[in-house]
């Protein structure tokens, strides 16, 4: 078998959509599983759609996710250059080969003439297609006399080179996911292969590059399936059928309700990112949010995306990159579209946050602590995040969940006060202070003296007293186990907070 070589071939037309990330991921998993090579090729032949910064964005996003390359625009390699605009001089000869062998022709039609043709068809409720049925009514080297064609070329008339589909043949694409897909050439348009600006189009450059870069498998989005018959014909036309790659067209990523393709606007509307990283449109300044900045862990994004359109053949959901590499198979990619599910995305993030070491979480927490002017010891921060992480979906929630470990409350939740701070409470809190001052500062000793001996022993109201202590320490009635909390923030600090509550809330009238 040939060496597995796959490529991810984005066009730098903006930020990389999450569907594109999934394509890159599947290519990566496939390459790694087969000990093959993964290549990053930038397809920038359409200069009108070029967006500055997009290429760097793509590289940064895939790097963040741990999708690594063996060759590519950022790494170099034996099959470079890997940016199509840098390969510009090599495509012309391939267009010439097709012209010479009768697989392509020159077309001189001006944009206005093509527009007029389209309008003429529209008026009759038809769609114009430049194909075997219409090509002889257009201005090209098939319809014009040879000397006229020669004259136009020599005098510098702009032209494009179009593929010439044979009339009425069935073209079959063997797709690893969908099986055989057959289309008749009468339905296919004579796509432009080479443009008047001297650049190849996507179709020509893509096939030439896949061939020259010895690509063994083309794994890409379903939106390219309609182009696949042309690609298959191009391999035939060039005489490269023997080394034609295998094709696998991935199912679409659908909106959460399953109605149509997941778009950027869905993300904005439903409150989840459709891009891996934040992106600022350099032309309009418009911002789009990314998974990274929203607090998603790369492992969670990778795991979630892997399962959007593929499954391991059982219902296992949590898989590391290494497991995914081991388990991935094209046979288990589904044919139907995969619905995006934001709750599931959050669930994955929650799960991966639990797997994060407390040290890593503490690092993520550092900016929030700084923002709030907190200067706590590393050990203390590590301990607190360890205690509280099971409540988190995102690291951004850390401050909300843990602030009372770092700063004393400055006010008390009025609802909780009226519910819990009852007449006689200052006396009970003062007793709690006394207990903390006298018994060993240990879990069991505090539990015995405060809960058992004082509260239960005197038949006092456990809920009211413990919640009032919590109110004094936290400011509300949330938080982890009360004694654990007291032990964590320390004796002095607890006593100070209890005293402050007595001073602030005082006695309540009967
Ligand atoms: N440049 C194409 C894209 O942006 C690549 C399609 C392919 O993989 O052949 O999707």
């Amino acid at each position: 078998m040939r060496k597995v070589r796959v490529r991810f071939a984005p066009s730098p037309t903006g930020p990389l959509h999450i569907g594109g990330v999934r394509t890159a991921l599947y290519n990566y998993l496939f390459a790694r599983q087969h000990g093959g090579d993964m290549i990053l090729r930038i397809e920038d032949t359409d200069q009108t759609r070029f967006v500055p910064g997009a290429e760097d964005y793509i590289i940064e996003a895939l790097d963040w996710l741990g999708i690594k390359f063996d060759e590519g625009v950022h790494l170099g390699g034996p099959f470079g250059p890997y940016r199509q605009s840098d390969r510009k001089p090599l495509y012309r000869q391939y267009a010439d080969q097709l012209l010479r062998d009768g697989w392509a022709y020159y077309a001189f039609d001006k944009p206005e003439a093509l527009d007029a043709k389209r309008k003429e068809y529209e008026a009759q409720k038809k769609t114009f297609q430049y194909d075997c049925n219409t090509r002889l009514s257009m201005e090209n080297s098939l319809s014009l006399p040879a000397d006229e064609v020669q004259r136009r070329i020599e005098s510098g008339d702009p032209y494009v080179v179009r593929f010439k589909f044979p009339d009425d043949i069935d073209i079959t694409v063997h797709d690893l996911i969908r099986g055989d897909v057959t289309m008749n050439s009468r339905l296919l348009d004579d796509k432009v292969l080479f443009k008047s600006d001297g650049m190849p189009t996507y179709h020509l450059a893509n096939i030439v590059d896949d061939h020259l870069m010895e690509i063994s498998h083309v794994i890409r989005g379903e939106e390219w399936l309609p182009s696949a018959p042309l690609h298959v014909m191009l391999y035939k036309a060039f005489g490269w059928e023997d080394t034609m790659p295998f094709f696998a067209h991935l199912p679409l990523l659908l909106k959460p309700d399953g109605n149509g393709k997941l778009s950027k606007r869905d993300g904005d509307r439903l409150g989840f990112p459709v891009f891996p990283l934040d992106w600022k449109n350099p032309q309009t300044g418009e911002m789009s949010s990314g998974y990274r900045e929203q607090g998603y862990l790369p492992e969670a994004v990778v795991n979630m995306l892997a399962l959007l359109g593929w499954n391991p053949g059982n219902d296992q959901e949590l898989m590391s990159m290494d497991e995914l590499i081991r388990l991935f198979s094209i046979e288990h990619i589904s044919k139907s579209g995969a619905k995006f599910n934001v709750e599931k995305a959050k669930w994955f993030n929650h799960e991966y946050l639990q797997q994060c070491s407390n040290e890593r979480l503490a690092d993520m927490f550092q900016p929030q602590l700084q923002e709030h002017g907190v200067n706590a010891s590393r050990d203390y921060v590590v301990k607190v995040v360890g205690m509280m992480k099971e409540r988190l979906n995102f690291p951004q929630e850390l401050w909300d969940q843990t602030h009372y470990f770092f700063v004393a409350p400055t006010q008390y939740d009025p609802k909780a006060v009226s519910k819990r701070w009852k007449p006689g409470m200052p006396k009970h809190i003062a007793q709690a202070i006394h207990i903390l001052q006298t018994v060993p500062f240990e879990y069991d000793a505090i539990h015995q003296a405060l809960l058992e001996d004082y509260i239960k022993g005197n038949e006092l109201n456990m809920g009211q007293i413990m919640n009032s202590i919590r109110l004094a320490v936290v400011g509300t009635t949330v938080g982890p186990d009360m004694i654990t909390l007291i032990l964590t923030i320390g004796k002095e600090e607890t006593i100070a907070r209890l005293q402050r509550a007595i001073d602030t809330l005082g006695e309540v009238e009967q």
Side-chain angles (χ1 to χ4, degrees), residues 7-13 23 41-43 84 202 206 210 218-221 223-224 231:
R7 81 308 192 267
F8 179 54
S11 299
T13 54
T23 300
R41 183 172 76 219
I42 296 293
E43 300 206 326
Q84 288 182 329
Y202 154 74
N206 184 271
D210 281 352
V218 167
I219 304 171
R220 63 183 174 190
E223 63 274 26
W224 297 105
H231 298 173

Side-chain angles (χ1 to χ4, degrees), residues 151-283:
R151 192 194 57 75
R152 287 197 186 200
I153 293 173
E154 275 161 18
S155 66
D157 263 17
Y159 63 80
V160 298
V161 176
R162 285 182 182 271
F163 188 69
K164 182 174 174 240
F165 269 110
D167 290 4
D168 200 13
I169 59 160
D170 280 338
I171 305 162
T172 298
V173 180
H174 302 289
D175 187 87
L176 296 175
I177 299 169
R178 268 148 232 283
D180 284 358
V181 180
T182 302
M183 268 190 234
N184 190 278
S185 61
R186 298 189 75 81
L187 300 172
L188 298 166
D189 62 336
D190 290 347
K191 283 265 187 284
V192 174
L193 299 177
F194 203 81
K195 293 177 288 183
S196 49
D197 63 1
M199 273 291 214
T201 60
Y202 154 74
H203 300 290
L204 180 68
N206 184 271
I207 296 316
V208 166
D209 287 348
D210 281 352
H211 173 72
L212 295 178
M213 295 181 182
E214 297 179 10
I215 298 302
S216 64
H217 294 75
V218 167
I219 304 171
R220 63 183 174 190
E222 189 183 80
E223 63 274 26
W224 297 105
L225 189 57
S227 302
L230 168 63
H231 298 173
V232 167
M233 284 307 291
L234 280 168
Y235 280 99
K236 192 178 164 68
F238 282 122
W240 299 336
E241 278 165 300
D242 290 354
T243 54
M244 182 168 76
F246 292 100
F247 290 101
H249 289 92
L250 306 175
L252 292 176
L253 279 193
L254 303 176
K255 295 178 200 294
D257 63 9
N259 283 326
K261 205 173 150 177
L262 182 67
S263 75
K264 169 176 151 29
R265 260 165 288 128
D266 294 320
D268 296 343
R269 189 167 54 87
L270 300 167
F272 58 85
V274 291
F275 300 115
L277 317 177
D278 274 1
W279 166 258
K280 185 172 177 200
N281 183 318
Q283 273 113 26

Side-chain angles (χ1 to χ4, degrees), residues 40-328:
L40 178 61
R41 183 172 76 219
I42 296 293
E43 300 206 326
D44 60 346
T45 55
D46 187 350
Q47 297 285 312
T48 59
R49 296 182 62 216
F50 177 81
V51 173
E55 183 180 311
D56 288 342
Y57 177 99
I58 292 165
I59 293 167
E60 190 181 339
L62 297 176
D63 185 57
W64 174 64
L65 290 161
I67 296 173
K68 300 196 187 73
F69 291 87
D70 302 292
E71 298 164 28
V73 69
H74 54 318
L75 300 170
F79 295 84
Y82 293 90
R83 188 184 295 110
Q84 288 182 329
S85 56
D86 296 338
R87 300 169 68 79
K88 185 177 171 185
L90 69 82
Y91 299 112
R92 175 77 227 195
Q93 58 186 297
Y94 293 98
D96 286 343
Q97 181 185 334
L98 295 178
L99 285 163
R100 199 179 56 231
D101 296 347
W103 284 103
Y105 57 93
Y106 297 100
F108 301 98
D109 316 271
K110 304 239 161 7
E112 311 82 66
L114 287 167
D115 262 0
K117 219 20 163 202
R118 278 189 209 107
K119 294 224 171 74
E120 186 190 313
Y121 271 64
E122 269 164 32
Q124 302 168 42
K125 303 233 172 330
K126 290 195 288 190
T127 312
F128 173 71
Q129 184 166 276
Y130 210 120
D131 60 17
C132 60
N133 305 303
T134 58
R135 59 170 83 110
L136 288 180
S137 66
M138 307 300 290
E139 282 186 45
N140 53 49
S141 55
L142 302 173
S143 63
L144 298 169
D147 53 348
E148 168 71 3
V149 171
Q150 200 57 31
R151 192 194 57 75
R152 287 197 186 200
I153 293 173
E154 275 161 18
S155 66
D157 263 17
Y159 63 80
V160 298
V161 176
R162 285 182 182 271
F163 188 69
K164 182 174 174 240
F165 269 110
D167 290 4
D168 200 13
I169 59 160
D170 280 338
I171 305 162
T172 298
V173 180
H174 302 289
D175 187 87
L176 296 175
I177 299 169
R178 268 148 232 283
D180 284 358
V181 180
T182 302
M183 268 190 234
N184 190 278
S185 61
R186 298 189 75 81
L187 300 172
L188 298 166
D189 62 336
D190 290 347
K191 283 265 187 284
V192 174
L193 299 177
F194 203 81
K195 293 177 288 183
S196 49
D197 63 1
M199 273 291 214
T201 60
Y202 154 74
H203 300 290
L204 180 68
N206 184 271
I207 296 316
V208 166
D209 287 348
D210 281 352
H211 173 72
L212 295 178
M213 295 181 182
E214 297 179 10
I215 298 302
S216 64
H217 294 75
V218 167
I219 304 171
R220 63 183 174 190
E222 189 183 80
E223 63 274 26
W224 297 105
L225 189 57
S227 302
L230 168 63
H231 298 173
V232 167
M233 284 307 291
L234 280 168
Y235 280 99
K236 192 178 164 68
F238 282 122
W240 299 336
E241 278 165 300
D242 290 354
T243 54
M244 182 168 76
F246 292 100
F247 290 101
H249 289 92
L250 306 175
L252 292 176
L253 279 193
L254 303 176
K255 295 178 200 294
D257 63 9
N259 283 326
K261 205 173 150 177
L262 182 67
S263 75
K264 169 176 151 29
R265 260 165 288 128
D266 294 320
D268 296 343
R269 189 167 54 87
L270 300 167
F272 58 85
V274 291
F275 300 115
L277 317 177
D278 274 1
W279 166 258
K280 185 172 177 200
N281 183 318
Q283 273 113 26
T284 62
E286 188 199 354
M287 287 294 301
S288 304
S289 64
Y291 280 86
R292 182 177 65 185
E293 290 76 5
Q294 295 284 305
Y296 281 89
L297 298 176
E299 304 93 304
V301 178
V302 161
N303 196 156
M304 168 197 79
L305 281 179
L307 285 170
L308 282 176
W310 170 84
N311 66 75
N314 56 35
D315 49 18
Q316 185 182 354
E317 291 194 293
L318 289 173
M319 284 164 276
S320 66
M321 190 69 105
D322 284 346
E323 277 176 287
L324 289 169
I325 290 169
R326 196 160 48 78
L327 296 170
F328 186 74

